[in-house]
Amino acid sequence: MAGLAVAVGILIAQQRRLQQLSEQQRHIDLANQQRLQWELLSKAMGDPDLAAVLDTHKGVVPPHKHRQFLFANAVYTNALLAYRNGVVDRAELFGHLRGTVQNPIFREYWEATRAARASLAPNSVEAQVGRMLDGLIHDLDEADTEEWWVVGEPPEE
């Protein structure tokens, strides 16, 4: 009987280790994808002909503004990846984004990409973070204070 308990314990430990390795691989895969996205966005920001390929605004956004939107997207997806990989927790992400949305160009980007976010799976991490950011922007717009760094409460994990 003791031998069975030891065997079960070993199997449980192996399963946990495999889960940890799987999670580590997921983080590596996300980081590699982020690196590739940054490389593509960098090329697009430096070349209007390539930026046109990523233009989902039907040409109504001037090229210089579109490049700014591409960079805003890179800033946002970098923060999102840091959260997804556990580099920052939800409260830290909230605080970072609270500062990010003080920039009018980022706000314009966020509004311009609202329709694209509507297609996200509602339970996805990206959709949840998007709703959190929408709520934060609403709270900031409604706040009676100029002290933006105290507005809003980070949602629970």
Side-chain angles (χ1 to χ4, degrees):
M1 192 66 151
L4 181 60
V6 170
V8 169
I10 291 171
L11 286 174
I12 290 171
Q14 287 176 338
Q15 184 179 13
R16 285 186 185 145
R17 180 68 180 137
L18 286 174
Q19 288 173 338
Q20 289 173 342
L21 290 173
S22 176
E23 187 65 18
Q24 288 172 347
Q25 186 59 50
R26 183 179 156 291
H27 290 306
I28 291 168
D29 292 346
L30 283 170
N32 286 336
Q33 194 282 326
Q34 175 71 16
R35 191 177 314 50
L36 177 59
Q37 181 189 16
W38 175 248
E39 289 173 15
L40 292 170
L41 288 176
S42 293
K43 288 180 181 192
M45 286 183 284
D47 185 334
D49 291 335
L50 297 178
V53 174
L54 299 176
D55 186 358
T56 60
H57 309 287
K58 300 177 180 142
V60 297
V61 175
H64 78 281
K65 179 67 69 177
H66 185 242
R67 286 190 301 278
Q68 290 174 330
F69 283 5
L70 293 174
F71 189 76
N73 174 264
V75 167
Y76 173 69
T77 56
N78 183 60
L80 180 64
L81 178 68
Y83 172 65
R84 290 178 74 179
N85 277 342
V87 175
V88 299
D89 63 20
R90 198 168 183 96
E92 291 168 317
L93 175 66
F94 184 84
H96 172 75
L97 292 175
R98 184 169 40 198
T100 301
V101 299
Q102 298 309 304
N103 183 281
I105 297 168
F106 185 88
R107 287 271 194 117
E108 189 178 356
Y109 153 78
W110 193 252
E111 184 57 36
T113 57
R114 181 171 303 281
R117 287 189 308 282
S119 68
L120 295 172
N123 292 330
S124 69
V125 172
E126 189 171 356
Q128 292 170 17
V129 171
R131 286 190 300 272
M132 179 185 77
L133 190 51
D134 287 340
L136 173 58
I137 290 170
H138 176 267
D139 290 350
L140 286 164
D141 288 347
E142 298 295 316
D144 289 336
T145 180
E146 293 296 316
E147 297 175 341
W148 57 266
W149 56 92
V150 300
V151 174
E153 290 292 323
E156 297 296 318
E157 286 289 328

